[in-house]
Amino acid sequence: MTRRAFAPGRVNLIGEHTDYTGGFVLPMAVHLGTTVELRVGGPEVTLRSDAEPMPATVDLEVADPAGLEPSWARYVAGVVAELRPVTGGAGSVSTTLPVGAGLSSSAALEVAVALALGFDGSPLELAHLCQRAEQRASGVPCGIMDQLASAAGVEGHALLIDCTTEVVTTIPLPAGLQVVAVHSGQPRQLAGSAYAERRRACERAAEVVGSLRDATTADLAAIEDPEVRRRARHVITENARTLAFADALRSGDLPEAGRLMHESHLSLRDDFEVSTPVLDALVDDLRARPGVHGARLTGAGFGGCAVAICEPGSITDGWPLAAAAGATVATTTPAP
Ligand code: GLA
């Protein structure tokens, strides 16, 4: 039996560094993604990738996914360790996603591997399993956004995700809106300690003001540490911007959506401090172009991509991204 699974990458339109404190995010699954084709059978998982020189070989009993080489095998091993399939398999990985650009190539790999290994459950359960796999593989305490966007995408729609209730609300993308990701040229370094440090600062803020999702800027004065206060101000204002952005999309108010994206970028730059001068310059460049409504860094920051919304054809040096359906799997059994 062969299983062929496809999982899309994602781009986040707004709602950055809000998922791991139960806030709001607004990503969309994209038409670029990762395919895993697996002939089921055997005591290990062996995958070759068209994007990697070395294959990934993972024992079904793997205990320490983060210790494996080559490094991409860690994501496969994270899924194996969380799923514990009874049977392995051999096969191939191919991807149309730029790897390490901030379009969630690792989440797409995890989701596709889990489905190819026989995961059977809801998109939310799939996302939770793959989030745990990512954390085990990379050591980064990531939120649920990337894996849930990949698992639960809906064609033509962005997903407003409430990361406290985990309710996903689909938001249709207005006709004539193009979403484009443009690479800054800086490789994104998420595995560094900065992501975990930001998450800790948010948790410290929540110890003072309670859930940041329910807090308001009036609560900020109670936070003594000025750095923690700035981090919390980003999250509180970003949650409000994400809900306002969803309303702007619903009413087709693209200039307002673009304005909110720029505010998001400034908040990530000044309060959350996850931008870089190169990303700042790219965002300024994109915003200045005719037909562009707004632009911001997307994903964790520290390099990687900017995302812009614009009239079709106004940005020609990036990846135009279509909002796509979530992950799928198909099984074929060879004729006897
Ligand atoms: C990474 C993480 C997500 C999210 C973003 C920042 O992509 O995997 O969970 O925290 O950073 O918004």
Side-chain angles (χ1 to χ4, degrees):
M1 176 175 70
T2 299
R3 281 199 207 97
R4 185 189 171 88
F6 173 80
R10 67 95 185 93
V11 67
N12 190 21
L13 298 177
I14 197 163
E16 215 67 83
H17 287 281
T18 47
D19 59 350
Y20 48 77
T21 45
F24 297 98
V25 294
L26 212 149
M28 62 185 221
V30 299
H31 65 290
L32 305 174
T34 297
T35 302
V36 172
E37 202 165 305
L38 193 79
R39 287 181 309 283
V40 179
E44 60 184 24
V45 179
T46 307
L47 289 170
R48 293 183 180 278
S49 166
D50 63 1
E52 302 285 345
M54 299 288 290
T57 303
V58 177
D59 192 280
L60 291 184
E61 304 295 322
V62 61
D64 176 24
L68 284 196
E69 295 291 346
S71 57
W72 75 278
R74 296 171 194 170
Y75 299 96
V76 179
V79 173
V80 170
E82 288 296 331
L83 185 61
R84 290 295 177 210
V86 286
T87 315
S92 64
V93 179
S94 57
T95 190
T96 51
L97 277 166
V99 172
L103 297 179
S104 289
S105 53
S106 63
L109 175 63
E110 292 145 13
V111 170
V113 167
L115 288 173
L117 284 172
F119 172 86
D120 186 18
S122 71
L124 184 59
E125 288 163 345
L126 175 60
H128 274 293
L129 183 138
C130 292
Q131 177 193 17
R132 293 195 302 272
E134 169 93 29
Q135 293 180 345
R136 277 176 93 144
S138 67
V140 176
C142 66
I144 190 74
M145 169 169 68
D146 305 347
Q147 291 78 11
L148 188 50
S150 179
V154 176
E155 192 181 339
H157 293 68
L159 309 175
L160 174 62
I161 304 173
D162 178 335
C163 297
T164 294
T165 62
E166 297 182 326
V167 169
V168 178
T169 306
T170 53
I171 312 281
L173 291 180
L177 172 75
Q178 190 167 63
V179 176
V180 185
V182 184
H183 204 289
S184 66
Q186 284 186 310
R188 199 184 42 111
Q189 258 320 335
L190 180 57
S193 56
Y195 185 97
E197 188 274 326
R198 296 301 186 284
R199 183 169 178 154
R200 261 196 316 277
C202 293
E203 285 160 1
R204 281 180 60 197
E207 282 164 17
V208 180
V209 300
S211 163
L212 296 183
R213 175 177 176 277
D214 303 323
T216 68
T217 49
D219 297 319
L220 289 168
I223 302 174
E224 271 172 34
D225 183 319
E227 187 177 289
V228 173
R229 197 185 316 130
R230 283 204 308 280
R231 304 293 188 249
R233 185 167 62 188
H234 164 71
V235 175
I236 291 169
T237 57
E238 184 78 350
N239 280 330
R241 279 188 291 274
T242 303
L243 295 174
F245 185 96
D247 284 343
L249 280 192
R250 285 187 184 107
S251 62
D253 189 347
L254 300 181
E256 172 64 3
R259 192 189 65 75
L260 290 161
M261 287 174 82
H262 188 228
E263 275 191 9
S264 168
H265 184 79
L266 297 182
S267 178
L268 288 160
R269 182 190 74 185
D270 299 336
D271 278 349
F272 220 65
E273 295 180 276
V274 293
S275 190
T276 66
V278 177
L279 273 170
D280 295 340
L282 173 60
V283 165
D284 283 345
D285 165 23
L286 293 172
R287 290 182 64 236
R289 299 190 196 182
V292 174
H293 302 293
R296 54 182 288 281
L297 75 81
T298 185
F302 313 108
C305 278
V307 62
I309 58 170
C310 60
E311 288 165 20
S314 34
I315 298 175
T316 51
D317 51 346
W319 292 283
L321 298 171
T328 52
V329 63
T331 303
T332 49
T333 312

